[in-house]
Amino acid sequence: MNVIIKRSILFTAAILLLLCTFGCSVSGPSYENNPSYSHLFVDTDDAAAKELKNQIIAQLIAYNDGDAEGYYALFNMAKEDLNFNVAQFNAMRQTVNMTYTPESIQTAFINEDNAQALITMTCRGDDKSTGEVLYYYRTAMTYTMVRDGKWTVTLQTPGHEEDLMYTLSEGTEPVTQ
């Protein structure tokens, strides 16, 4: 009986190890092969750039899905500020369908735990009751980020390529659609 339990535990542990080795990611899902987001990755992206881009894409997906907590999870802010922003986001989502469509994400690494990302995107808001387009524009924002287990945004500013404080990684030219 004792041998059967030990074998069951070992078998379960082996299955979990295989699943996490081949099917799990500590940093979250990978969008590199997703047709909707693959254009955001370039051949010269290293593991850190891919991790950063995947977290930003997950954040934008949360925004588009109306998941305020998921969207704001990437930002490093005080609890009161987080609560205020989540409430504002949820209030806006009652009447407006808001979407961000990323066109490009360029990364610049200061060191392994400090980076900037320039996200170029289109922003659209449609009135939920009428379907009327309330706004539709192209914009860019720069995230200054720190990694402490996962990447977090410490500063968000409107941005363009010339606003990045550090040299961009090679091969990260914006994609226009």
Side-chain angles (χ1 to χ4, degrees):
M1 182 74 133
N2 217 3
V3 172
I4 293 172
I5 293 173
K6 286 181 182 178
R7 286 184 181 165
S8 294
I9 291 171
L10 286 173
F11 178 75
T12 303
I15 294 297
L16 289 173
L17 179 64
L18 285 172
L19 285 173
C20 284
T21 301
F22 297 106
C24 299
S25 171
V26 173
S27 62
S30 173
Y31 299 99
E32 189 174 2
N33 295 317
N34 181 316
S36 298
Y37 304 103
S38 60
H39 68 279
L40 301 171
F41 296 88
V42 294
D43 292 339
T44 55
D45 283 341
D46 61 10
K50 289 176 184 179
E51 177 186 10
L52 189 66
K53 289 180 179 187
N54 280 314
Q55 282 192 244
I56 292 169
I57 293 166
Q59 179 200 29
L60 297 177
I61 290 171
Y63 181 91
N64 292 343
D65 289 346
D67 177 6
E69 289 82 9
Y71 174 70
Y72 286 108
L74 200 59
F75 292 98
N76 180 13
M77 63 176 73
K79 182 85 169 149
E80 305 81 43
D81 294 334
L82 174 64
N83 291 339
F84 175 80
N85 283 305
V86 167
Q88 293 294 98
F89 180 95
N90 288 332
M92 183 76 143
R93 291 297 285 207
Q94 296 298 314
T95 58
V96 179
N97 183 31
M98 306 176 299
T99 57
Y100 286 159
T101 305
E103 294 179 2
S104 70
I105 301 174
Q106 300 175 57
T107 58
F109 288 84
I110 303 152
N111 58 42
E112 65 184 34
D113 294 322
N114 294 277
Q116 286 189 315
L118 175 69
I119 305 110
T120 305
M121 70 183 87
T122 56
C123 303
R124 181 177 175 144
D126 299 326
D127 186 297
K128 283 189 173 182
S129 62
T130 66
E132 175 188 359
V133 177
L134 301 172
Y135 58 85
Y136 186 66
Y137 59 92
R138 186 170 188 253
T139 191
M141 67 178 99
T142 301
Y143 284 174
T144 300
M145 305 178 77
V146 173
R147 179 170 44 192
D148 185 18
K150 72 169 193 153
W151 289 101
T152 57
V153 178
T154 57
L155 179 65
Q156 174 185 323
T157 55
H160 299 285
E161 187 171 329
E162 61 272 10
D163 295 334
L164 281 175
M165 298 183 330
Y166 303 94
T167 307
L168 291 171
S169 304
E170 285 186 37
T172 56
E173 292 300 317
V175 176
T176 49
Q177 298 178 347

